[in-house]
Amino acid sequence: ASAQTSTRVCKSRNCDRTERKNDMSRIELKHIDKFYGSNHVLRDINLTIEDGDFMTLLGPSGCGKTTTLRVVSGLEKPQNGTMTIDGVEMINADDAYYAEPSKRGLNLVFQSYALWPHMTVYDNIAFGLKIQKMSKAEIDRRVMDSLRMMRIDMYKDRYPTELSGGQQQRVAIARAVASSPKLLLLDEPLSNLDAKLRIDMRAELQRLHKELGTTIIYVTHDQTEALTMSTKIALFKAGELNQVATPTELYNNPIDLEAADFIGNPRINLLDGKAEVINGQLVVKSDLGGHTFPAEHLTSEEFPKSGEFDCVLAIRPEQIVISTQPVEGAIPVTIYANQPAGSETITTLKAGTDEFLAKDIGQIRYDLDQKVWAIIDQDKINIYNKETTRLIKRAV
């Protein structure tokens, strides 16, 4: 379909900006800087969110993820950088141009539900549609469609105070999708819910994304939410973008030691070792023994020109298999602690001075100080340069 175009003249720099109206929602952030006084909260953020992505902004508190969401929504104005949605310029800090939030074709769902307490569920959702002066029939169709999508149509005549937290959150999301936004922004929407409701709502959001095809930007500090729902994850660290990848790639190959330590539950095992590049291969020695990794498994990270250097081996607990009998290539270890927890068992193993975790599905009991053998697929081991903290050998 051909795009309708109109031109806005930028008088300050005598440039033309061409605006295109369509149903796509590709977002590009380039060189975004945001300061609060002397506090540099966003540092040269460059991020592209493709049309139809479920992009999660992940990281600990204070890392800049919510500020990035607010920049996209128009609630914050960055001091540097540009942003476009479908090629239409929404931010140009050099020209002090910031498109109003209402011009960006998006809806925002907050951590607090922000429902009108004096309105029924139906009226809460219909309110914004009435402002857009839609017909009564169209409003009814959209309200009921969004309620059915979130499986709460039976509550349409109730007031928010008569609903549970999970039901209120569904109303807030139904209100957001009723106007068919091309971009949906969600700021930690599940953080006020209990663990069971969070699991239920993750499933609903994943289904909602599949049914609508809407581009979603989702902010959370919960890695489980990010790994289970997203098509891509942007991992933040101290106001910077640390890594942008699919959930599988982020989990399997964190870009540095901080990312590796942040992602995964139970935590990843980090063991010190010594490494050296010999004939293009990486030779690693640690309490787990010796390993040789071929060149094709190595990253483009620069290695020392010669000699040994300190490294860190990173191994996911579920990648370690425990055998009670000797197995060729397995590492002899002892049981330091054994913690069956219903659906899974976490066992602490000891090799030399190193302790590390193994994870089994189901309830498996070992005796303390029992000798066992750890089977580790070396292809699944990540190796990091200890000095730079960067990934130098990928898991495959």
Side-chain angles (χ1 to χ4, degrees):
S2 61
Q4 299 175 354
T5 63
S6 64
T7 301
R8 182 179 70 82
V9 177
C10 169
K11 296 180 180 178
S12 63
R13 301 183 74 180
N14 297 318
C15 60
D16 289 340
R17 292 191 177 91
T18 300
E19 300 183 359
R20 296 175 176 83
K21 297 178 181 178
N22 53 45
D23 294 327
M24 307 295 283
S25 46
R26 184 178 193 266
I27 303 113
E28 287 188 89
L29 295 150
K30 294 182 179 180
H31 305 298
I32 296 291
D33 284 296
K34 176 64 183 175
F35 295 84
Y36 292 121
S38 60
N39 186 15
H40 197 174
V41 295
L42 293 181
R43 302 169 180 267
D44 194 30
I45 299 298
N46 292 277
L47 178 64
T48 298
I49 301 166
E50 299 293 347
D51 180 59
D53 269 352
F54 192 126
M55 173 68 80
T56 296
L57 311 184
L58 175 66
S61 297
C63 67
K65 56 190 187 295
T66 294
T67 304
T68 300
L69 188 81
R70 290 174 65 84
V71 166
V72 173
S73 70
L75 298 178
E76 296 285 355
K77 296 178 179 179
Q79 283 82 1
N80 296 310
T82 63
M83 185 186 83
T84 60
I85 298 180
D86 310 325
V88 179
E89 194 167 73
M90 297 293 166
I91 295 172
N92 189 318
D94 286 346
D95 295 339
Y97 173 66
Y98 305 95
E100 293 297 320
S102 61
K103 305 295 184 184
R104 301 188 184 195
L106 53 84
N107 264 345
L108 180 59
V109 178
F110 294 97
Q111 182 176 348
S112 60
Y113 313 127
L115 301 177
W116 298 102
H118 63 287
M119 292 183 182
T120 63
V121 167
Y122 185 101
D123 290 335
N124 259 282
I125 298 171
F127 182 76
L129 305 178
K130 290 176 181 177
I131 291 176
Q132 297 178 43
K133 298 183 178 179
M134 292 183 182
S135 68
K136 186 176 180 180
E138 178 66 7
I139 289 173
D140 186 67
R141 182 187 70 79
R142 287 183 177 233
V143 170
M144 294 311 299
D145 281 352
S146 64
L147 286 172
R148 281 190 285 268
M149 189 177 297
M150 296 309 298
R151 298 193 289 185
I152 50 171
D153 51 304
M154 69 290 293
Y155 302 133
K156 67 184 181 67
D157 296 321
R158 292 192 186 182
Y159 290 89
T161 53
E162 299 174 308
L163 302 177
S164 68
Q167 291 163 349
Q168 289 183 50
Q169 189 58 275
R170 289 173 190 247
V171 175
I173 295 170
R175 180 177 60 186
V177 303
S179 60
S180 300
K182 62 181 180 180
L183 179 58
L184 185 59
L185 310 183
L186 300 155
D187 187 8
E188 303 215 36
L190 309 186
S191 60
N192 291 333
L193 306 181
D194 62 37
K196 182 179 182 300
L197 277 176
R198 281 201 300 274
I199 293 172
D200 292 343
M201 284 304 300
R202 287 202 297 264
E204 294 299 334
L205 286 171
Q206 193 176 43
R207 186 177 60 86
L208 182 71
H209 177 249
K210 181 177 177 61
E211 290 183 4
L212 294 181
T214 300
T215 303
I216 294 177
I217 305 178
Y218 188 96
V219 167
T220 185
H221 63 275
D222 186 324
Q223 57 171 294
T224 303
E225 288 182 11
L227 292 170
T228 54
M229 294 191 296
S230 314
T231 59
K232 290 180 185 172
I233 299 173
L235 182 63
F236 280 74
K237 177 175 73 173
E240 298 179 349
L241 260 181
N242 195 27
Q243 185 173 5
V244 180
T246 64
T248 300
E249 177 65 12
L250 180 64
Y251 186 81
N252 290 337
N253 293 296
I255 199 167
D256 61 19
L257 284 171
E258 188 168 343
D261 200 35
F262 182 75
I263 298 294
N265 184 28
R267 61 178 174 78
I268 198 168
N269 296 299
L270 299 175
L271 309 174
D272 286 337
K274 293 286 186 180
E276 186 174 7
V277 178
I278 301 174
N279 297 325
Q281 296 183 315
L282 185 68
V283 179
V284 175
K285 298 175 183 177
S286 71
D287 283 343
L288 301 183
H291 303 278
T292 299
F293 303 103
E296 59 265 28
H297 293 180
L298 308 185
T299 70
S300 58
E301 180 78 14
E302 289 188 9
F303 295 92
K305 292 182 179 179
S306 63
E308 282 190 339
F309 60 96
D310 292 331
C311 69
V312 177
L313 293 78
I315 311 165
R316 296 287 179 193
E318 66 271 18
Q319 300 294 348
I320 300 172
V321 177
I322 299 174
S323 172
T324 56
Q325 300 296 324
V327 176
E328 184 179 356
I331 302 159
V333 295
T334 55
I335 301 293
Y336 184 79
N338 180 224
Q339 304 172 64
S343 63
E344 65 183 27
T345 299
I346 306 299
T347 303
T348 305
L349 305 173
K350 193 163 186 177
T353 58
D354 282 327
E355 294 176 9
F356 54 99
L357 301 178
K359 177 181 175 180
D360 287 302
I361 300 301
Q363 301 181 43
I364 302 175
R365 295 193 178 274
Y366 301 101
D367 296 328
L368 298 188
D369 299 322
Q370 178 183 349
K371 184 177 181 180
V372 294
W373 286 261
I375 304 167
I376 303 173
D377 182 351
Q378 76 168 18
D379 286 345
K380 303 300 182 184
I381 301 175
N382 292 123
I383 307 293
Y384 294 86
N385 184 320
K386 189 170 185 177
E387 181 179 0
T388 66
T389 78
R390 303 288 288 185
L391 181 67
I392 57 176
K393 183 269 168 185
R394 297 166 48 85
V396 294

